[in-house]
Amino acid sequence: MTPRQFDRKYARQTRRAKDLTLADVAKRLGHSGNWQVSAWEQGKKPVPSEKLAAYANALGVPLDRLAPRQGEPDLRDLRHDRGISLKEIPAIIQAKSDGPVKNAERGVRPLADEYAVRLAEKYEVSLEQLRAAEARSSSGHVAPVATPTSAVESPRTLAEKITYLVRAKFPDAPPTDHALAQAINAKAGLDIVSTEQVQALRTGDQPPAAILGAVPETTLYDALGAYFDCSPLYFRGKEEQVLQTMEGLRLLANLDDLSPEDVVLQARGGEGGFSRPLLAALNAALEKLKGDSRGNQGH
């Protein structure tokens, strides 16, 4: 992905030159308040790449002037340049989910020809340009991942997970604690954390329960999952993750008509695109649980 570089000074100068208030721009963007636009102009919060096209339209300027890009776009860049969200994709490609496009953007598997044709038309590019962007997604799309500073190979505490995701998702312009607090509250639909609480959560100074007080941890995890586009389960402790995963496997194991083919079909059709080794391990675990269940019923 070749991110666009938002020129916040140009955005502010243009808005003022056109005698537009922050509220005017926010209204054109469909926002109920102007705090987001203000945060973008001040550099307190990065502009989501899928919002840049609408932002340029709201100011009446070319997208390439508001947010220049160095290099050629990949598949996700093309979607963001049209201001299209993943929620709109199923209707565009006439599919049941956004999985085919999401997997292509991640470089997991290429688009079927019928989907590619429909996307090219919607993105207003040629099929050749779309396939070239898709190839760039496959070759160099993975976002930079922060190198762990400790001996831990992957983040385990909530503080480590938040820090990891902030660096991985926003390598060029990480959000401030204030911006992150506003984003979490927006996703939750109510004020659940302050800037100081986000800082405490990110640094791990205290356990999450002590920081949140009366706010349920599940509410925070749901909001974090929505903001970082990942499962809320990711933010829970290892034991709880294992317990919920095992409960899900036991539920699957009790389905008499479930076959390995069903598992392969659903896993490959989902957003993640499970690998063959993982699918094999999953089916092996299910078979063992089915065997244990039948053995228990026999006693």
Side-chain angles (χ1 to χ4, degrees), residues 1 72-75 104-108 131-143:
M1 183 177 183
E72 297 295 326
D74 66 9
L75 201 57
E105 288 182 352
R106 292 174 173 175
V108 175
R131 288 301 191 186
E134 181 183 59
R136 285 188 284 271
S137 295
S138 299
S139 62
H141 171 70
V142 180

Side-chain angles (χ1 to χ4, degrees), residues 22-273:
L22 289 170
D24 292 332
V25 177
K27 185 176 180 180
R28 293 182 181 185
L29 289 169
H31 296 173
S32 56
N34 61 18
W35 66 267
Q36 272 191 319
V37 178
S38 177
W40 293 343
E41 281 193 0
Q42 296 178 54
K44 293 182 178 180
K45 182 179 174 65
V47 184
S49 54
E50 67 270 21
K51 294 284 188 181
L52 285 170
Y55 199 169
N57 288 335
L59 292 176
V61 297
L63 175 58
D64 287 333
R65 179 62 185 86
L66 178 67
R69 173 189 288 127
Q70 299 295 325
E72 297 295 326
D74 66 9
L75 201 57
R76 182 180 294 180
D77 293 329
L78 292 183
R79 175 168 61 82
H80 286 177
D81 285 354
R82 292 297 166 189
I84 297 173
S85 68
L86 283 171
K87 292 180 180 179
E88 300 173 77
I89 288 297
I92 294 171
I93 65 174
Q94 300 175 30
K96 292 182 178 179
S97 75
D98 60 14
V101 171
K102 205 164 189 177
N103 284 331
E105 288 182 352
R106 292 174 173 175
V108 175
R109 65 178 60 88
L111 287 164
D113 289 341
E114 58 184 305
Y115 297 153
V117 170
R118 291 166 187 157
L119 274 189
E121 181 179 358
K122 187 66 176 180
Y123 293 170
E124 298 183 17
V125 297
S126 68
L127 184 58
E128 291 73 18
Q129 288 173 317
L130 185 95
R131 288 301 191 186
E134 181 183 59
R136 285 188 284 271
S137 295
S138 299
S139 62
H141 171 70
V142 180
V145 177
T147 302
T149 55
S150 66
V152 180
E153 294 183 357
S154 59
R156 294 184 179 180
T157 67
L158 179 61
E160 290 174 349
K161 291 172 182 177
I162 292 175
T163 299
Y164 169 83
L165 287 173
V166 164
R167 292 176 178 174
K169 296 279 187 177
F170 309 102
D172 298 319
T176 63
D177 291 333
H178 178 68
L180 189 53
Q182 289 184 316
I184 291 172
N185 292 334
K187 293 296 183 182
L190 68 162
D191 291 339
I192 62 172
V193 290
S194 65
T195 300
E196 292 73 20
Q197 286 174 308
V198 167
Q199 182 180 19
L201 289 168
R202 185 177 52 76
T203 56
D205 291 339
Q206 293 177 285
I211 297 171
L212 294 173
V215 176
E217 289 183 48
T218 53
T219 302
L220 172 67
Y221 299 153
D222 287 343
L224 284 171
Y227 177 66
F228 287 115
D229 190 23
C230 64
S231 170
L233 185 61
Y234 173 75
F235 300 98
R236 297 181 179 277
K238 183 178 179 180
E239 290 185 4
E240 192 169 357
Q241 290 175 337
V242 172
L243 285 174
Q244 289 202 25
T245 301
M246 289 304 298
E247 284 300 314
L249 287 173
R250 290 192 183 96
L251 178 63
L252 289 176
N254 287 326
L255 297 177
D256 295 332
D257 58 347
L258 181 71
S259 68
E261 290 75 18
D262 293 326
V263 176
V264 171
L265 179 63
Q266 291 299 321
R268 288 184 178 172
E271 296 178 353

